[in-house]
Amino acid sequence: MSDVIKASGLVKRYGTVTALDGLDLVVPGGTVLGLLGPNGAGKTTAVRILTTLLEPDSGTAEVAGIDVRSDPGAVRERIGLSGQNAAVDEYLTGFENLDMVGRLYKLGRGPARERSRQLLEIFSLSDDGDRPVKGYSGGMRRRLDLAAALVAEPAVLFLDEPTSGLDPRSRTDLWGVIRTLVREGTTLLLTTQYLEEADQLADDIVVIDHGRMIAHGTSDELKAQVGGERLELVVGTTSDIQPARSVLADVAAGEVVVDEDGRRLTAPISGGADALMTALRRLDADHVRVLDVGLRRPTLDDVFLTLTGHAAEASDTDSEADGSAKRDDDGRAKKRRTKEPVQ
Amino acid sequence: MSNLRWAFADGAVIAKRNLIKIKRVPDLLVFTTISPIMFVLLFAYVFGGSISPPGVNYREFLIAGIFAQTVIFGATFTGAGLADDMQKGVIDRFRSLPMSRSAVLVGRTASDIVYNMISITVMSLTGLIVGWRIRTSLPEAVGGFLLLLFFAYAFSWVMAYVGMLVSSPEVVSNASFIVVFPITFVANTFVPSDNLPPVLRAIAEWNPVSAVAQGARELFGNTSPAAPPPEVWSLQHPVLYTLIWVAIILAVFVPLSVRQYKRAASR
């Protein structure tokens, strides 16, 4: 299928801060691209440019074959956006929110209502559809916000950190909904800080940092870049460490790493389960007490750490634009909440 | 043509959304109506005894001035509402939809006319209770109310622009205080401008707010032939002068606000 989202050389500066520094993106139709990076990496800026909210300083971008700068109106007719803070109106009910968006997409009165009820049903909000959003939980607001992005059944969907701040249960639920959409042919660009999320949902992952692409590939390809499988072993006592190390050294494809305090040994292996079995048989023969053993594939966390030199979620040093604004919003949101009576 | 039609259709959707808020947050309505009542009573009873404009009952003189001040304060809602939408990211959603670029502003300023109509109704009733009377015909009285609403509508666009510039509702409220207080006080709203020091008097006489108040007074029949006629053109033709200002404000601030809306990045 042809490429539905194409961006090349996107640059955006805010004063002296460079949010995007020549970003290229390609998303083939019907696939999911995960845009992965820490706070302030430029993820939101990229989404804002692709959804016509922001003009790039330079570079070009096309969505559904339409240039975002020369015909933003036509792009807007084909996209759905769900941003970082659930952009739903607190004073309206869930239904009224969706109905309003439907009318603004020019669906017409009847179809807008019908579609709103349908979406409330899909997102398990039917029972609360006629209550003001003010009384909704964070997860419900997120679901409603995503529903609002889907009102016009857009061909291209942009989700900017759709699950940040959600509890694990709500996150898994939302993933389920997103998977269904993708199965039905929606092209999706998803930004996330959660490596697991990209792993779960994305066909293709672009890792960005400081506004630049630093890696690109499928989840498996990225993991392969960091290294293959590892055997991880936890032994019962410190005296078990030495014999275990010599066993692993025979089986391993590389250096054995020992964590004395955790009594943990890690070694890269190439033989998969066979190597694991061999190691276990020999450990048993040598009477080494094994508390825990497993084959561990590298996670995207490992990928991130290897590529950027810092972990994905600890990013105090470079949380510029996105990060600080988000904290601000949260602070203000809390203040507002305490001032107004709960209905 | 179809652009204009969509601007109105989308604007109506937005206006409806804003009006639902009145229903859901009744406190808002309570405060919108209490402050004008308070103003009428304060000025009528506290200052009323000490101020006596020549040839006319002070309470009759006062009411149109309070109407003018209140509807201008009402424009703060426009700015604060937009700033709030901006802060919560609702504007981002609107900007990502295939809707008219001016609809959010058209809808917001339109729904604020309703706020102003509510507060004018409440003030009129309070005024009637404390002794204010309309002494002209119905069409003239309607003209008086329309004049107030026109000016308030134009001023809403000024505050819309301010609201999108500062994008925090608290700042809008404070900023509007700084603007609205002087322009509504250095005017003939509460006292005749004749006794002001020369510089202030000149400002007050050409202040459009004076013209709004004076125009409304004339249309309600709250002026007296015994009062000395105004010496300046602006107060001799207050209705025309007000309408000129309305046209100027709209011509400047509608395009300015729409431009600001298009470029407003909420973060």
Side-chain angles (χ1 to χ4, degrees):
Chain A
M1 220 187 276
S2 61
D3 297 334
V4 168
I5 301 174
K6 263 190 286 189
S8 72
L10 292 181
V11 174
K12 182 71 195 177
R13 290 187 194 85
Y14 297 103
T16 56
V17 179
T18 303
L20 286 184
D21 193 7
L23 183 69
D24 304 323
L25 291 175
V26 174
V27 189
T31 69
V32 181
L33 176 75
L35 197 56
L36 187 65
N39 271 338
K43 303 186 298 289
T44 298
T45 307
V47 169
R48 291 175 68 81
I49 289 173
L50 292 171
T51 54
T52 75
L53 298 185
L54 204 63
E55 288 216 354
D57 294 332
S58 66
T60 59
E62 266 182 26
V63 173
I66 303 157
D67 189 287
V68 294
R69 284 170 110 167
S70 57
D71 197 358
V75 171
R76 288 181 201 117
E77 284 171 19
R78 289 160 175 82
I79 60 169
L81 165 68
S82 172
Q84 274 184 37
N85 357 352
V88 287
D89 191 309
E90 297 201 303
Y91 302 105
L92 302 190
T93 64
F95 173 77
E96 286 164 344
N97 264 291
L98 297 180
D99 184 50
M100 172 181 75
V101 172
R103 298 303 299 276
L104 294 172
Y105 269 115
K106 320 288 183 285
L107 292 190
R109 179 185 289 266
R113 290 187 174 186
E114 204 176 304
R115 178 72 177 147
S116 303
R117 290 291 172 203
Q118 190 188 357
L119 282 167
L120 289 171
E121 187 72 43
I122 293 172
F123 285 86
S124 327
L125 289 167
S126 289
D127 293 343
D128 302 288
D130 294 316
R131 281 203 300 136
V133 171
K134 225 171 170 3
Y136 281 24
S137 69
M140 290 163 74
R141 283 174 196 229
R142 277 308 173 95
R143 294 209 299 273
L144 184 64
D145 192 59
L146 181 53
L150 299 176
V151 167
E153 303 182 62
V156 192
L157 190 60
F158 293 87
L159 302 179
D160 191 9
E161 303 199 2
T163 65
S164 70
L166 288 190
D167 59 71
R169 167 87 195 277
S170 312
R171 183 175 302 161
T172 320
D173 288 351
L174 208 54
W175 284 351
V177 176
I178 293 171
R179 279 201 196 93
T180 313
L181 287 171
V182 174
R183 253 202 309 278
E184 288 164 6
T186 308
T187 304
L188 170 63
L189 189 148
L190 166 94
T191 78
T192 183
Q193 297 186 52
Y194 301 113
L195 304 154
E196 194 195 346
E197 190 160 281
D199 211 358
Q200 289 272 340
L201 298 174
D203 299 306
D204 222 3
I205 296 171
V206 166
V207 185
I208 66 170
D209 201 20
H210 302 294
R212 232 172 306 178
M213 187 205 290
I214 56 172
H216 175 214
T218 64
S219 166
D220 287 337
E221 284 166 1
L222 289 176
K223 286 171 185 170
Q225 274 187 30
V226 182
E229 286 175 317
R230 266 168 279 192
L231 195 159
E232 203 173 272
L233 189 68
V234 180
V235 293
T237 61
T238 32
S239 59
D240 287 326
I241 292 177
Q242 222 23 64
R245 180 203 283 263
S246 58
V247 170
L248 284 193
D250 291 344
V251 181
E255 194 193 347
V256 181
V257 180
V258 180
D259 166 16
E260 297 266 353
D261 296 333
R263 301 188 304 279
R264 182 186 301 269
L265 299 95
T266 314
I269 54 166
S270 51
D274 284 344
L276 177 66
M277 293 295 286
T278 312
L280 281 177
R281 255 184 244 115
R282 290 197 41 195
L283 288 167
D284 191 41
D286 294 353
H287 304 290
V288 175
R289 210 174 135 232
V290 176
L291 287 185
D292 190 19
V293 65
L295 276 180
R296 188 167 160 269
R297 308 198 58 205
T299 64
L300 280 170
D301 274 305
D302 300 321
V303 174
F304 211 87
L305 205 58
T306 314
L307 291 171
T308 65
H310 56 81
E313 287 172 58
S315 53
D316 289 333
T317 47
D318 50 20
S319 62
E320 31 96 348
D322 298 340
S324 51
K326 210 172 121 203
R327 266 196 297 280
D328 241 351
D329 280 349
D330 289 345
R332 285 195 210 116
K334 263 175 219 130
K335 218 169 69 197
R336 270 200 308 276
R337 220 162 286 140
T338 51
K339 258 195 296 189
E340 288 159 1
V342 179
Q343 297 188 326
Chain B
M1 182 57 216
S2 82
N3 268 351
L4 201 62
R5 206 171 54 118
W6 284 129
F8 279 111
D10 291 342
V13 174
I14 300 292
K16 183 184 159 199
R17 166 227 172 199
N18 296 339
L19 292 175
I20 289 175
K21 187 175 174 183
I22 301 186
K23 202 167 73 183
R24 300 276 153 76
V25 194
D27 323 23
L28 207 65
L29 198 57
V30 171
F31 286 108
T32 327
T33 53
I34 282 182
S35 60
I37 294 177
M38 190 188 73
F39 266 114
V40 172
L41 296 180
L42 275 182
F43 276 93
Y45 290 101
V46 178
F47 292 165
S50 320
I51 304 171
S52 46
V56 62
N57 177 316
Y58 180 61
R59 286 187 197 157
E60 295 215 353
F61 175 88
L62 171 73
I63 293 293
I66 292 178
F67 282 3
Q69 189 196 40
T70 308
V71 296
I72 290 168
F73 258 113
T76 309
F77 272 112
T78 308
L82 282 168
D84 194 41
D85 284 348
M86 198 91 101
Q87 200 180 57
K88 288 182 183 163
V90 180
I91 294 280
D92 273 357
R93 155 132 297 139
F94 290 142
R95 289 176 72 235
S96 76
L97 296 179
M99 60 190 279
S100 157
R101 301 285 90 185
S102 52
V104 170
L105 299 164
V106 169
R108 171 63 68 177
T109 48
S111 59
D112 288 338
I113 295 178
V114 177
Y115 273 92
N116 273 330
M117 283 167 61
I118 293 170
S119 58
I120 286 187
T121 307
V122 173
M123 285 186 296
S124 301
L125 295 175
T126 319
L128 289 172
I129 292 168
V130 301
W132 171 66
R133 292 292 177 269
I134 294 174
R135 300 186 190 281
T136 50
S137 63
L138 182 67
E140 279 174 292
V142 171
F145 287 120
L146 283 180
L147 188 74
L148 289 160
L149 290 174
F150 278 153
F151 190 77
Y153 181 75
F155 207 73
S156 282
W157 282 92
V158 177
M159 294 312 290
Y161 180 64
V162 173
M164 281 184 299
L165 274 185
V166 303
S167 61
S168 147
E170 292 83 0
V171 179
V172 176
S173 303
N174 294 337
S176 68
F177 226 63
I178 300 171
V179 178
V180 175
F181 247 90
I183 68 160
T184 55
F185 271 87
V186 184
N188 69 0
T189 36
F190 304 115
V191 290
S193 48
D194 309 340
N195 301 328
L196 296 176
V199 176
L200 279 188
R201 177 176 172 176
I203 295 174
E205 281 171 345
W206 289 95
N207 182 345
V209 178
S210 297
V212 176
Q214 184 68 17
R217 274 179 200 125
E218 284 182 3
L219 289 163
F220 294 142
N222 298 139
T223 50
S224 156
E231 289 159 24
V232 289
W233 185 87
S234 56
L235 294 180
Q236 283 164 355
H237 307 89
V239 175
L240 179 61
Y241 186 65
T242 303
L243 293 179
I244 291 172
W245 267 96
V246 168
I248 292 173
I249 293 174
L250 290 177
V252 172
F253 281 93
V254 171
L256 213 53
S257 306
V258 172
R259 201 185 62 161
Q260 186 63 25
Y261 173 85
K262 284 184 190 162
R263 65 159 66 156
S266 58
R267 72 185 95 87

